Amino acid sequence: MRTITYVAATVLAATGAVQVSAAASPAAAHADFSRCGYSVTTDGARLRSGPGSTSTVLGLLREGDSVSADQANDDRYRVTLQWDSGSQHGTRKSDGLREGTTGWVAKKFLRADTCMQLD
C-alpha cells in the first residue's frame, strides 16, 4: 500500500523562518491489516458497494463469515469474502453472496483472526 504525504510550509513573517509539517492524506491512511483475515462477529452486517452508509447494500454477512481486508476508510474496511466451507460451491446459503465478492463493512463487525502454524 502506498501512503501519500502532503507537506505544508508556513513562512513566519516576523522571524522569516520557515515551518514545515507533514501529514498523511486522510484517504490514504495506513491500516495494519491482519494477514490472517477477519471473521464477521454478528449476523446481518451489511456489505456495501462503497464506504459510506448510503452506499448500496450488496448483501448481509453472517457471524463467522471469513473476509480479507485491503483498504480502510474511516470506520470501514474494504473486504473480500473468502470461501465458506459450510456452504455449497462457496455460495452462502442465507444471502447468495459468492466467494470473491468485494464490498465495504464497518470495522466494528470484524474480529482479526489469529494465525496458527502447525509443524
Side-chain angles (χ1 to χ4, degrees), residues 23-101:
S25 162
H30 174 70
D32 189 20
F33 298 114
S34 170
R35 65 183 175 89
C36 299
Y38 297 86
S39 294
V40 177
T41 60
T42 187
D43 282 332
R46 291 177 180 95
L47 183 68
R48 296 183 178 273
S49 61
S53 61
T54 59
S55 298
T56 302
V57 175
L58 302 173
L60 300 177
L61 301 174
R62 294 181 309 177
E63 183 176 356
D65 280 345
S66 295
V67 298
S68 61
D70 66 352
Q71 285 186 23
N73 186 312
D74 294 327
D75 64 343
R76 297 187 184 270
Y77 279 159
R78 186 176 82 165
V79 299
T80 301
L81 294 172
Q82 304 302 309
W83 188 71
D84 181 0
S85 61
S87 66
Q88 286 186 322
H89 310 293
T91 302
R92 285 153 174 77
K93 295 174 187 172
S94 65
D95 55 17
L97 294 173
R98 293 194 175 276
E99 170 189 4
T101 300

Side-chain angles (χ1 to χ4, degrees), residues 5-12 17-23:
T5 302
Y6 294 99
V7 177
T10 305
V11 177
L12 303 175
V18 177
Q19 178 181 2
V20 178
S21 61

